[in-house]
Amino acid sequence: MTKTGRQAEQKVAVGNGDRRQPAREEIWRRMSKASFAVLSHVTPNGEPRSSGVVYTTGRGRLYVAVAPDSWKALQIPATGQVAVTVPVRRGGLLSLLAPIPPATISFHARAVVHPAGHSYITSLLPELAKLVPPERLADCRIVEIFPEGHFLTYGIGTSLLSMRNPAAARARVPVN
């Protein structure tokens, strides 16, 4: 492990031992390798909604392409607040033999829905073109998600066996 990696870790006392507190950089690295998340919001009538989305990361944000007439595009601007959970696959070959739940990274965020064809976003991240077929890119809306507060993780920076112990598997890491 590099000196920078060691400096980014914190040891946290748990039960009879210590576990490694995941660093913010590790959380972003895991999120940038993944591409699927559950995005939740509240409708203007106060009803909760969630849906699976494909995303990309960049500049400390997540970006999601949505249809201009989708609930996300129409309802997120009412509050500008969302919650995100990113499942992180763990276990390799072992996960094919045993039921190993994914690790997770969850956070609340401020979200901005940019109008269809917004040049700032499409020029900022060429990766957005990977989210949407080229014929739909000009018409879709981009949800720009700014994480706030803390990342709440489960199973990040712990062994698979430690995931059985919630106190050892959970962590709370500041976003900034």
Side-chain angles (χ1 to χ4, degrees):
M1 181 179 294
T2 66
K3 182 177 179 182
T4 306
R6 282 191 302 270
Q7 290 170 340
E9 295 180 351
Q10 292 180 21
K11 291 287 188 173
V12 178
V14 175
N16 295 334
D18 291 339
R19 72 162 165 84
R20 187 176 63 83
Q21 173 85 5
R24 181 176 25 256
E25 295 80 14
E26 179 181 4
I27 293 168
W28 277 107
R29 182 179 55 78
R30 298 277 186 121
M31 285 196 304
S32 67
K33 284 185 175 183
S35 60
F36 175 81
V38 177
L39 179 66
S40 302
H41 68 280
V42 177
T43 69
N45 294 336
E47 299 169 337
R49 294 277 186 261
S50 64
S51 57
V53 295
V54 177
Y55 70 90
T56 190
T57 61
R59 299 180 61 210
R61 300 176 184 131
L62 275 69
Y63 298 89
V64 176
V66 299
D69 59 348
S70 69
W71 280 1
K72 293 177 286 291
L74 300 174
Q75 295 175 348
I76 289 174
T79 65
Q81 295 294 307
V82 296
V84 178
T85 298
V86 177
V88 178
R89 187 169 178 259
R90 302 248 343 238
L93 292 177
L94 184 59
S95 66
L96 298 174
L97 303 172
I100 297 173
T104 58
I105 301 167
S106 299
F107 56 92
H108 67 272
R110 183 172 46 90
V112 175
V113 179
H114 295 283
H118 195 279
S119 61
Y120 162 74
I121 297 298
T122 54
S123 66
L124 180 66
L125 287 176
E127 295 87 2
L128 288 172
K130 298 174 191 173
L131 298 178
V132 182
E135 65 274 7
R136 289 186 32 220
L137 188 58
D139 294 329
C140 72
R141 292 185 146 197
I142 303 299
V143 181
E144 188 174 13
I145 300 170
F146 303 83
E148 296 180 330
H150 289 83
F151 292 114
L152 304 176
T153 67
Y154 193 89
I156 304 294
T158 63
S159 70
L160 290 175
L161 288 177
S162 294
M163 287 178 69
R164 297 184 305 171
N165 176 355
R170 287 189 303 244
R172 184 178 173 97
V173 179
V175 167
N176 293 321

